[in-house]
Amino acid sequence: MSHQSLHAWVEDVAALTRPNKIHWCDGSEQEYQQMVQELLNDGALIELNQDSHPNCYLHRSDPQDVARVEHLTFVCTNNKADAGPNNNWMDPKEAHALMDDLYAGCMEGRTLYVVPYCMGPVESPYSRLGVEITDSPYVVANMRVMTRMGQAARDKIEAGAPFVKGLHSIGELDPERRYIMHFPEELTINSFGSGYGGNALLGKKCHALRIASWQARQEGWLAEHMLIVGVESPEGEVHYIAAAFPSACGKTNLAMLVPPEEYKGWKIWTVGDDICWMHPGPDGRLWAVNPEAGYFGVAPGTSEKTNPNAMAMLQRDAIFTNVAVTSDQQPWWEGMQDGTPATDWRGRDFDAENGKASHPNARFTVSAKQCPSYTEKADEAQGVPISAILFGGRRAGLVPLVMEAKDWAHGVLLGATMASETTAAATGQVGVVRRDPMAMKPFCGYHYGDYWAHWLSFADKVPNLPKVFQVNWFRKDGDGNFMWPGFGDNLRVLEWVIQRCKGEAEVVSTPVGLVPKADGVNLTGLEMNQEQLKSLITIDQSGWQHEFSEIKTYLDGFSPRLPASMANLAENIEQQLSS
Ligand code: SAT
Ligand code: MN
């Protein structure tokens, strides 16, 4: 793509959508303030208390537009099989015709914004460029926080660098006229009818995961739904860990955890909270960059107790979406501990009869640099070396607190067989267990069978691969109480993980993985004894037998592209469980 084609594309889109005005975004502070002013003038943003929260604003979504819409999200490949059973598919010609119909005249009376952006540090060889055309100034403001947006990206594109073309219009916010379409072979995204995060901020899930995962397979790297966190020991040794969890399962909290009191001298460095691009480095390790520049995190449940770093970064320069407000216009959400809501997320006087004050998927948008645990490594071109990869989900039972894979191929199986209870991050039922391989079910832009084969191929290409672990902070006891304190105390598990990466700490080998010894995880200072820990790490043989019979059926759904070695490994583990 060249300079010519960027301008030609913008002209084509303008001819189709017929905006009143075209604005090329430069990403400056002045432009951001201008955008905020326009949004305040037309009521799309509401000023929050500027004494307690300078430069903080609230956006209230249309009540029918508050989450990702997986059933309206499509991967449009020429060959249907390439999209895989894990994606909705539409023929690209049909999809383009449908979208062009929706786009015809959709920007009449509106401004068309051209948003050039870079995913990843601007000078990194791993970064990728994109341009989002949108008619939503709310999207522009959010893209400025979430990506490296503006002139630098535009300059590279005009100098001839390839870029992903994203076209977005909020349309009429009608759920019946809403689609999120991906054309990986054309490096193109079309989104219509939603202004919500993952549906509308096209740099995020659409580009950095669905399109990027497709490119990563072709080019030999990995685009993953993972946080990246650095753990520094009192001796000053830093290990970086990448961890995949489904949406709204605590990635942001883990990425910026505050060590428990007993962990004097330990430091946590936040590189990313949602997306991780990993490349084989010259030293035979995997090196990771966070393609994003900001956090679009879940507000409810965030508090001084669960995530003090997030609370600190949300004191200024943040956009809140669908939170409640107090009588003095401070943002408020369930689980915040302090304050009382006066107005709910829909702008009504708060009445507990109407349900929650904030929407369960209420979000904040904030620059990564505002996080007290931000590290400049997040802006380094080569990224950070990854010592360990964690796969985690929300499972009330069965899956132990932590379990190590026996080797890379087993680690890939652990990722591929993850399951988690659904959350409010996507529309649909909440709390049902569904398989969510690598936490990529909604985001993998191609056939899961090919994706796992791609993961497996790293064993031959990368000599010093990270160790792989499965974790579960969400086990519940018979009374429905969480058995593990989670949050800052998850460092106890990370410490064990790091010991294992260094070849320390003993394990107990079970058919499903390697678990810690009963005294393996440091419980000092916790109201928990080794017996209780034991119940968190014990492998329930018959429960796992049942799990593996389901896993096999699930994996079978991806044949004939399911890697044979993976099917054999699952079979082998099932046999060990039954003998
Ligand atoms: O809405 S987003 O897709 O950006 C957040 C999430 O669901 O992980
Ligand atoms: Mn996410």
Side-chain angles (χ1 to χ4, degrees), residues 205 225 247 251 274:
K205 309 297 182 169
H225 191 207
S247 303
K251 283 198 297 300
D274 195 41

Side-chain angles (χ1 to χ4, degrees), residues 31-337:
E31 179 183 74
Y32 178 76
Q33 291 305 338
Q34 188 189 322
M35 216 61 64
V36 166
Q37 207 48 54
E38 276 173 36
L39 288 160
L40 288 169
N41 291 346
D42 79 358
L45 280 187
I46 297 162
E47 202 169 65
L48 290 168
N49 188 321
Q50 295 297 299
D51 293 326
S52 61
H53 291 77
N55 293 313
C56 286
Y57 305 96
L58 165 67
H59 172 75
R60 294 194 180 115
S61 303
D62 183 291
Q64 303 227 64
D65 184 33
V66 291
R68 280 184 291 101
V69 282
E70 295 179 6
H71 62 297
L72 303 174
T73 300
F74 291 78
V75 170
C76 308
T77 46
N78 286 312
N79 177 359
K80 180 176 182 185
D82 290 339
N86 43 303
N87 281 302
N88 300 315
W89 176 85
M90 200 182 286
D91 177 77
K93 275 197 209 69
E94 198 185 317
H96 276 304
L98 175 79
M99 297 308 284
D100 286 352
D101 257 2
L102 294 171
Y103 286 133
C106 72
M107 295 190 190
E108 271 169 19
R110 298 179 185 170
T111 299
L112 178 159
Y113 298 95
V114 184
V115 184
Y117 62 84
C118 178
M119 299 311 288
V122 175
E123 295 311 326
S124 171
Y126 304 142
S127 292
R128 290 290 188 274
L129 297 155
V131 176
E132 173 166 359
I133 292 179
T134 178
D135 54 9
S136 161
Y138 166 79
V139 165
V140 176
N142 277 273
M143 285 291 285
R144 165 130 195 298
V145 180
M146 294 304 298
T147 72
R148 282 120 173 136
M149 181 259 258
Q151 200 58 44
R154 180 174 166 186
D155 288 345
K156 285 191 183 268
I157 292 166
E158 291 187 341
F163 67 100
V164 169
K165 291 178 186 162
L167 172 53
H168 168 255
S169 169
I170 54 172
E172 315 84 44
L173 297 178
D174 176 358
E176 301 296 321
R177 285 162 52 84
R178 178 177 296 164
Y179 292 99
I180 325 294
M181 301 282 192
H182 304 74
F183 306 89
E185 288 139 324
E186 302 167 36
L187 300 186
T188 295
I189 303 156
N190 280 183
S191 168
F192 188 89
S194 168
Y196 168 77
N199 302 329
L201 311 177
L202 302 186
K204 195 173 179 57
K205 309 297 182 169
C206 300
H207 179 167
L209 288 176
R210 298 195 191 96
I211 299 285
S213 62
W214 175 282
Q215 290 182 295
R217 178 185 173 220
Q218 290 175 329
E219 298 167 10
W221 50 285
L222 293 165
E224 299 299 325
H225 191 207
M226 294 176 177
L227 66 93
I228 309 165
V229 64
V231 181
E232 182 174 337
S233 71
E235 294 75 41
E237 194 177 280
V238 187
H239 283 269
Y240 293 93
I241 295 174
F245 294 80
S247 303
C249 289
K251 283 198 297 300
T252 307
N253 295 338
L254 186 63
M256 49 190 78
L257 74 78
V258 171
E261 252 175 60
E262 297 74 28
Y263 278 67
K264 295 244 172 340
W266 289 75
K267 288 197 195 104
I268 292 294
W269 300 108
T270 309
V271 180
D273 83 330
D274 195 41
I275 302 179
C276 166
W277 286 356
M278 284 183 286
H279 289 76
D283 61 353
R285 292 190 287 178
L286 281 185
W287 288 72
V289 293
N290 170 15
E292 298 190 282
Y295 302 131
F296 183 67
V298 181
T302 306
S303 70
E304 286 301 337
K305 188 164 161 269
T306 61
N307 192 338
N309 278 329
M311 294 305 278
M313 75 183 176
L314 296 175
Q315 283 307 117
R316 62 173 178 94
D317 298 283
I319 302 170
F320 294 89
T321 300
N322 300 333
V323 300
V325 288
T326 61
S327 56
D328 64 347
Q329 289 293 103
Q330 299 199 41
W332 191 94
W333 49 78
E334 273 72 18
M336 188 188 238
Q337 293 178 308

